Amino acid sequence: MPHSVLSRRLAGGATMILSLALPSLAAAQARPGAPANPIGCEVLSGLRLPDTTITSATMVPKGMAAAALNLPAGADLPAFCRVVAQVRSAPDSDVGVEIWLPVEGWTGVFHGNGNGGFAGTLQAGYGGMLNGLRRGFATATTDTGTAPATMLDGDALIGHPRKWKDWGRLSTHVMTVTGKAVAKAFYGRGARRSYYTGCSTGGQQGLIEALHYPADYDGILVGAPVINRTWGHAAVAWDFAAANRTPGSRLSDIKLGLLNRAAVSECRRQGAALAGDPFVTDPLACDFDPATLLCRGASSDQCLSAAEVATARAFYAGPTTRDGKPAFFGWLPGSEGPGRFGWSFLQSPSNGQPQFASLFKWVFGSSWDWRGFDLDRDMPIVDGALAADVNDATRGNLEAFRARGGKLILYHGLADTLVPPGQTVAFYDRQARALGGVSRLRETARLFLAPGVMHCGGGAGPDSFNSAAAGVPAPPEDSPNDDLFRALMVWREQGKAPERVVATKFESADPKRIAFQRPLCAYPRRTTYAGNGSPRAPGDFACEAGRQVAGSSVKRKR
């Protein structure tokens, strides 16, 4: 069934079906404007929605969520109704959705959450749901319809093109329509506001919502969004091949540390890094050639061999055609440091193949091998097979989202090595051109670039500035000055657009102690240091005019 038909059936037919299935709900709906008065959680087991099966509706008592859902210790949550559903709107389509509904104190907000990688499980969305539930939101996530895939392994989707489409575009809208219908059934009234949060694949999900389903959410907060999905996977395969095609090309952790220190030092010399910082402030404005570390004599840990220099150059340049033209984005100077998804991860195999190689197996079959991958020959085939389903974030503009008052905040760590930060800058620049200039775009969308921050968090830079992010410490204050999630809500509801947010780095040995703070300025403005006080406090930093939209650092690449 076409997704537009599914949307109409879920939204348009839900009220009649619900009133027949749940008499107590009909009574609640008869009192417009009445406070939310939840029905019994177990009643939702009988809820009928088009193409939807409610697989479970269970009450989770206050303080019992950690044990019931295998959540981290200390996840003390209020009582909520947990609903799990499967939406099957077409052959081979099976989108899992999970919704948590606070029993008391619902604020009237629906909160959608993203997944990661190839998705496949609902648990990946729990981090954002925890924050939403604590705020009194009805909060939801989806497995994107890719089960039994996992975030790092999508081999189970070989031969299942409908699941590629659900993953690439449809599932988040399905989650949203379904989640809102379930919340309306439970509370007797619809949500007054809707917000979405997600990073990586979750970031892509949010952009798809803003670009193609602009009525779904009032505010969207996305980090490190995958925009060109097919070429993003090609970049990972490119890196792996550079490090593994010939002996001696792989960069050890010691060599990566050497490279990182040299990159930070050179960028500091160029004015793109601050003295004392172990990260690069503005890597988009820094040029670094790893050949400065080339061994002049015997190989050692204090220099790079010619093969290692070639690997580093391949990582910085990104995929390049046979005639030497850049085909996609590379990684920025300062991204070489250690971390869960750093350069070491990109060089390491997964079942003998590059990370996330399943996407290529969808096109070429399970016997695909990276050794035979040819960028110029194979990427047109990959795009021909998959781009229509998985690259929707490269198409469309934010005009409709803007017209209905939607607000979008993007953020990206400048030391990210899974999703190129330059691609997000290029996306923002492209949207500015489509809407008639950056000033008009800034009325509906803001971009924040986080120096030294890796993929969705981590790294040497200050990574705590989004309370909806999983795996990252919460900001020290629940205020729009410290938290982009709070800033998004204030922007949408009070009209106060965020010009800057203070990012925090906590001590690794004491996660409650602040190591330093640094303001992030809304692009294209950039953070500058006045030099009159401690660079570890935010007071001596200002937001000044930065690079021009569609600057030379990104305009020549996809």
Side-chain angles (χ1 to χ4, degrees), residues 82-359:
R82 179 195 181 205
V83 178
V84 180
Q86 300 296 136
V87 182
R88 303 179 179 93
S89 60
D92 205 29
S93 178
D94 189 358
V95 178
V97 179
E98 183 163 339
I99 310 104
W100 297 353
L101 305 153
V103 175
E104 297 180 350
W106 182 48
T107 61
V109 171
F110 175 79
H111 174 218
N113 292 273
N115 212 296
F118 293 110
T121 65
L122 294 165
Q123 288 78 6
Y126 283 3
M129 294 176 76
L130 289 171
N131 180 269
L133 190 66
R134 290 190 179 108
R135 291 183 182 272
F137 299 167
T139 185
T141 194
T142 175
D143 64 3
T144 74
T146 58
T150 65
M151 284 194 288
L152 299 181
D153 188 348
D155 281 8
L157 306 185
I158 298 171
H160 295 276
R162 171 61 196 215
K163 293 185 181 297
W164 311 340
K165 184 183 291 290
D166 285 339
W167 175 66
R169 175 166 182 170
L170 306 180
S171 57
T172 311
H173 178 60
V174 169
M175 170 196 76
T176 304
V177 174
T178 304
K180 287 181 178 181
V182 170
K184 186 173 183 179
F186 188 62
Y187 296 114
R189 61 180 172 88
R192 64 173 182 85
R193 285 279 187 267
S194 299
Y195 295 104
Y196 174 90
T197 58
C199 191
S200 193
T201 289
Q204 179 187 37
Q205 292 173 251
L207 291 187
I208 295 298
E209 288 293 291
L211 293 167
H212 301 286
Y213 304 99
D216 278 0
Y217 291 97
D218 300 296
I220 294 174
L221 171 61
V222 298
V226 180
I227 297 170
N228 192 315
R229 170 65 70 172
T230 53
W231 277 88
H233 286 245
V236 174
W238 170 269
D239 292 339
F240 182 84
N244 291 279
R245 195 176 296 280
T246 58
S249 295
R250 188 165 176 171
L251 292 155
S252 68
D253 287 348
I254 291 176
K255 297 294 182 78
L256 288 174
L258 174 70
L259 190 64
N260 178 248
R261 291 189 296 274
V264 173
S265 177
E266 174 58 24
C267 291
R268 184 180 299 128
R269 189 190 68 79
Q270 296 179 30
L274 194 63
D277 281 349
F279 56 88
V280 180
T281 305
D282 190 4
L284 288 166
C286 178
D287 293 317
F288 172 65
D289 186 354
T292 59
L293 294 172
L294 181 64
C295 296
R296 304 302 176 184
S299 177
S300 76
D301 290 340
Q302 301 305 310
C303 61
L304 301 181
S305 69
E308 292 167 337
V309 168
T311 297
R313 280 178 165 170
F315 274 54
Y316 292 129
T320 304
T321 61
R322 289 192 198 102
D323 58 5
K325 294 181 179 178
F328 194 58
F329 300 85
W331 314 120
L332 299 175
S335 66
E336 315 83 0
R340 181 186 177 194
F341 292 124
W343 285 28
S344 292
F345 175 78
L346 295 173
Q347 295 179 111
S348 65
S350 175
N351 298 321
Q353 298 284 10
Q355 303 291 340
F356 306 108
S358 298
L359 180 140

Side-chain angles (χ1 to χ4, degrees), residues 451-466:
V453 175
M454 299 184 72
H455 187 63
C456 298
D463 62 347
S464 177
F465 49 83
N466 173 20

Side-chain angles (χ1 to χ4, degrees), residues 15 19 22-35 184 187-189:
T15 301
S19 62
L22 307 172
S24 59
L25 173 63
Q29 288 178 325
R31 297 179 284 112
K184 186 173 183 179
Y187 296 114
R189 61 180 172 88

